[in-house]
Amino acid sequence: MKLVLICAMEAEAEGFRSHMTDVRLRQVAGLAFSQGQLWGQEVAVVTSGVGKVQAARCAQAAILIFQPELLIHVGVAGGVGRGIKTGDVVVASDLVEYDFDLSGLNEGVGQFCSCDGATSRALFSAAQQVLDSGQAYLGRIATGDTFVADSVAAARLRDTFGALACEMEGAAVARVCEANQVPCGVVRAISDNANESAGADYPSFLAAAVKNTERMLAVCLGGGMHH
Ligand code: ADE
């Protein structure tokens, strides 16, 4: 299967790049794609940079360049759902741009979009297989252009939007995929709880969280990743 993997940051992507074989580097539009084989699939890995604009432009470029059968966004997130902790993994069933706000026009807050159901179920099943002490969740992820380090803001994402985790790119990628009719999955390993200690927790738990996503994708891609 022809697949694009997008990560926001190099720290989230370097493990995937290091496992690839037959790698060709392709630079387009300021984006560095590593093309090759990863766990039996034909894959292009790219880092987008942080935030919705960077993520959207990267996803659109990747789709136009590679015409992938599937696009997966992988990275870390802050846990906001009850009981969710570092070491857990959240696979998105759907996502919300929580900072999309038309309330001044008496319309809603939040822009929602969905992931490909079969892809999400396959990713969730892989997470259940590989996590030792962590828990796998399948549910809503909230995306916005803020690193959330505020327990009141985190609780709002949970209570207003039903989010399990928050990050800064997923909904943007999913929306671009939806517009292009490319199936999409979003996987996030929890690096912090988006609260007052998130700034300190994030660098401490980043590497372990990223490892969880690598083990998951190895199972998923190695198993064929049919969507
Ligand atoms: N990615 C990882 N942790 C995050 C947080 N607390 N807020 C936004 N994005 C994140």
Side-chain angles (χ1 to χ4, degrees):
M1 162 170 299
K2 205 156 108 184
L3 177 72
V4 166
L5 280 187
I6 298 183
C7 300
M9 302 176 307
E10 200 46 45
E12 295 166 314
E14 63 195 6
F16 297 117
R17 291 200 212 266
S18 73
H19 283 98
M20 289 176 78
T21 55
D22 307 327
V23 185
R24 285 146 291 148
L25 263 183
R26 190 145 154 201
Q27 299 260 6
V28 187
L31 298 162
F33 294 90
S34 301
Q35 249 184 295
Q37 294 290 315
L38 179 63
W39 297 310
Q41 308 293 331
E42 189 186 338
V43 174
V45 175
V46 64
T47 57
S48 62
V50 173
K52 289 183 296 171
V53 170
Q54 297 276 61
R57 90 167 193 95
C58 180
Q60 186 64 68
I63 289 168
L64 290 173
I65 295 163
F66 295 104
Q67 280 130 16
E69 292 162 76
L70 177 65
L71 192 152
I72 301 180
H73 195 276
V74 193
V76 299
V80 300
R82 282 188 208 285
I84 296 191
K85 56 189 188 313
T86 55
D88 294 344
V89 165
V90 177
V91 175
S93 52
D94 61 347
L95 302 99
V96 56
E97 289 174 62
Y98 67 82
D99 52 3
F100 186 98
D101 185 351
L102 295 181
S103 58
L105 291 171
N106 289 319
E107 290 181 41
V109 178
Q111 179 81 54
F112 294 83
C113 62
S114 294
C115 289
D116 179 62
T119 300
S120 300
R121 286 191 293 277
L123 290 166
F124 177 63
S125 155
Q128 288 178 309
Q129 287 174 54
V130 304
L131 296 179
D132 322 310
S133 54
Q135 277 268 117
Y137 293 86
L138 179 62
R140 182 168 295 157
I141 291 179
T143 302
D145 284 322
T146 301
F147 182 88
V148 180
D150 172 348
S151 44
V152 173
R156 178 180 161 262
L157 296 177
R158 179 188 67 222
D159 298 338
T160 306
F161 295 104
L164 301 180
C166 66
E167 37 84 309
M168 302 177 69
E169 297 85 18
V173 170
R175 229 160 116 67
V176 168
C177 287
E178 202 168 74
N180 289 271
Q181 296 179 309
V182 173
C184 172
V186 176
V187 180
R188 292 286 180 166
I190 303 304
S191 57
D192 58 80
N193 275 103
N195 55 16
E196 288 67 17
S197 44
D201 290 342
Y202 173 84
S204 321
F205 292 103
L206 179 64
V210 167
K211 266 272 164 288
N212 282 334
T213 64
E214 287 167 21
R215 293 169 60 211
M216 267 182 74
L217 268 283
V219 165
C220 238
L221 271 55
M225 189 72 238
H226 303 294
H227 65 87

